[in-house]
Amino acid sequence: MPTALVTGATAGIGAAFTRRLAADGFSLVLVARDRDRLAEQAAFLGRRYGVQAEVLPADLSTDDGLKVVEERLREGVDLLVNNAGFGNRAMFLSAPVDDELTMMKVHCEAVLRLTYAALPHMRAKGRGGVINVASVAAFFTRGTYGASKAWVVNFSGAVAAETSGDGVRVMALCPGFVHTEFHQRAGMDTTSIPEFLWLEADPVVRAAMRDLALGKVVSVPDLRYKLVVGVGRLLPQNLTARISTRIGRRFR
């Protein structure tokens, strides 16, 4: 039975990944900060899908938390889903710098270190996969969140090229607005976001798994967001920066 490790596994896209992977017959390693929610998720997956779900509480914004997960990955998994992440409500110059540094730790350093820990075992076996959850925000210029997700996209592409001959697939997943706890946790007002722009987590994960199987390096679920990204790439960067900043102010 293959094994998958999912970070941020108790809610939103991470929880949707655990459901999909359990249905596909993976045993799971669930990573998040909240031990009680992890236990609830593991129990649900066991009852619903009859799979084994290992609970691994860890705070990926700390070195101790990262080391715990790195050690487990070195034991070997078949799929790593780097999903953990968060947003800051405030604009860059209004947010505490410690909050911005924590975001970089979780979105960039954790993704790098966990990918680095997982790949040797996969390369030795000649198969495996890494999905790094980024965002459509990676293609637009707005604050630390978009910048960190742009790093995830570029990092994933570089590692995918390096491991392409080893039977290992690495992909960045770039969804748009998804109905999860993400915005609520950040204290963002989402009432101005049109309903037609919202996606559901399960179809996002379904698209991600399909694109990974197809060998894509970047997955943008849903035609709506493919068009958004395509248009954004055609516009001058200074224009997209102004538009993104103006939109961002409406979520405060």
Side-chain angles (χ1 to χ4, degrees):
M1 179 180 291
T3 300
L5 186 147
V6 181
T7 69
T10 57
I13 293 174
F17 265 112
T18 68
R19 294 190 296 270
R20 169 59 190 263
L21 294 169
D24 287 348
F26 280 77
S27 62
L28 293 159
V29 183
L30 310 179
V31 178
R33 291 178 298 175
D34 191 323
R35 183 184 296 271
D36 291 339
R37 291 188 72 177
L38 282 171
E40 290 174 5
Q41 184 74 357
F44 163 76
L45 295 169
R47 290 193 307 270
R48 178 73 179 271
Y49 302 102
V51 299
Q52 180 179 353
E54 177 185 344
V55 168
L56 190 61
D59 183 349
L60 300 184
S61 70
T62 68
D63 284 331
D64 288 343
L66 285 170
K67 287 175 182 177
V68 167
V69 184
E70 285 174 316
E71 289 173 3
R72 178 60 184 84
L73 287 169
R74 291 190 188 102
E75 297 175 13
V77 300
D78 300 282
L79 177 66
L80 166 63
V81 180
N82 278 314
N83 167 73
F86 66 96
N88 287 330
R89 178 174 178 267
M91 303 293 283
F92 173 64
L93 292 177
S94 301
V97 71
D98 286 346
D99 291 353
E100 300 286 78
L101 290 171
T102 298
M103 180 178 287
M104 297 297 290
K105 182 92 171 179
V106 174
H107 290 181
C108 300
E109 183 178 341
V111 169
L112 185 154
R113 288 174 59 172
L114 300 189
T115 301
Y116 191 89
L119 284 176
H121 185 269
M122 294 180 184
R123 297 178 79 180
K125 292 177 64 175
R127 65 179 186 274
V130 178
I131 298 175
N132 294 322
V133 179
S135 170
V136 163
F139 304 102
F140 298 89
T141 304
R142 179 182 173 260
T144 304
Y145 182 83
S148 66
K149 293 304 186 179
W151 182 91
V152 171
V153 172
N154 283 286
F155 169 76
S156 300
V159 179
E162 189 172 338
T163 60
S164 61
D166 301 324
V168 178
R169 293 176 177 177
V170 180
M171 184 184 79
L173 171 62
C174 300
F177 294 114
V178 183
H179 283 300
T180 68
E181 298 176 5
F182 177 88
H183 297 92
Q184 180 182 358
R185 287 182 176 182
M188 297 178 183
D189 179 7
T190 60
T191 56
S192 62
I193 301 173
E195 184 58 35
F196 74 89
L197 286 178
W198 287 100
L199 306 176
E200 300 299 329
D202 290 310
V204 167
V205 169
R206 186 162 58 245
M209 295 302 295
R210 179 197 64 219
D211 287 348
L212 184 70
L214 291 172
K216 292 188 178 182
V217 176
V218 177
S219 171
V220 180
D222 196 272
L223 179 60
R224 288 165 286 184
Y225 282 103
K226 287 180 171 66
L227 292 172
V228 168
V229 170
V231 170
R233 284 175 164 170
L234 295 175
L235 296 175
Q237 187 174 16
N238 61 344
L239 177 58
T240 61
R242 289 198 298 270
I243 294 171
S244 299
T245 299
R246 185 174 301 173
I247 292 172
R249 288 183 177 132
R250 297 170 65 184
F251 299 158
R252 297 175 64 186

